[in-house]
């Protein structure tokens, strides 16, 4: 009788193990395939950078720089915060500030007409630093041992308030050809 019970025990154990192992393998396979199927649906809607495709579709046109971008042509030699980001514009100081009496003049190339222009970079004075749109393009600038060609200077020094706020870029002439 004992042998019969041992046999039944052994048989039950073997069947249980077989069912358990095949069931867990199957459920693992089901889980993996669920992930694969879900991934196939989810991946195309993830936020990939498609700007290069969009650019190709629009004939590879580059976005034109605007008055709040450092690479706007007339900012070629700025060292400061753009007044166009500070409540003023590229040529006018924000309310509560006044244009510096002394200034740094750079020469910038306008790609629209192919000419070079003299640009006066006046600082706007009388309020604390704007802190927005800092540009440091410095085309044609040289180190401080030659003040006339150095622009890392607070041009508010000659105003009633020498507190620097931002910088405007005013065209003051056309550069002569060599
Ligand atoms: N011309 C802008 C500026 C102001 C303060 C200090 C350095 C540069």
């Amino acid at each position: 009788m004992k042998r019969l019970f041992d046999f039944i025990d052994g048989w039950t154990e073997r069947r249980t193990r077989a069912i358990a192992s095949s069931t867990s393998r199957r459920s693992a396979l089901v889980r993996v395939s669920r992930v694969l199927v879900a991934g196939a649906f989810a991946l195309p809607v993830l936020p990939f950078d498609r700007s290069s495709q969009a650019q190709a579709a629009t004939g590879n046109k580059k976005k034109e720089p605007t008055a709040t971008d450092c690479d706007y042509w007339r900012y070629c030699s700025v060292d400061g915060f753009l007044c166009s980001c500070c409540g003023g514009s590229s040529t006018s100081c924000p309310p509560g500030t006044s244009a510096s009496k002394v200034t740094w003049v750079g020469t910038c190339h306008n790609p629209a007409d192919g000419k070079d222009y003299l640009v006066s970079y006046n600082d706007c004075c009388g309020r604390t630093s704007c802190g927005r749109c800092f540009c440091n393009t410095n085309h044609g600038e040289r180190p401080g041992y030659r003040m006339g060609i150095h622009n890392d200077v607070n041009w508010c020094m000659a105003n009633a308030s020498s507190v620097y706020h931002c910088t405007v870029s005013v065209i003051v002439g056309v550069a002569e050809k060599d």
Side-chain angles (χ1 to χ4, degrees), residues 1-103:
M1 199 61 172
K2 182 172 181 309
R3 289 174 92 190
L4 178 64
F5 284 142
D6 284 348
F7 172 77
I8 292 172
D9 279 353
W11 183 85
T12 311
E13 188 185 331
R14 280 193 299 280
R15 287 298 307 147
T16 308
R17 283 186 191 283
I19 289 168
S21 67
S22 73
T23 304
S24 66
R25 206 174 298 140
R26 192 172 302 144
S27 63
L29 280 174
V30 167
R31 246 177 267 139
V32 168
S33 34
R34 270 192 201 137
V35 168
L36 289 177
V37 171
F41 282 105
L43 281 178
V45 296
L46 288 177
F48 289 115
D49 178 6
R50 296 183 207 279
S51 55
S52 57
Q53 286 172 18
Q55 219 173 63
T58 56
N60 269 335
K61 274 203 188 119
K62 248 184 87 189
K63 177 190 154 290
E64 284 299 316
T66 67
T68 54
D69 298 319
C70 290
D71 55 355
Y72 185 48
W73 73 270
R74 66 162 68 185
Y75 298 149
C76 79
S77 199
V78 173
D79 180 351
F81 304 110
L82 300 180
C83 288
S84 48
C85 298
C86 306
S89 72
S90 59
T91 54
S92 61
C93 286
T97 64
S98 52
S100 61
K101 295 189 195 323
V102 286
T103 178

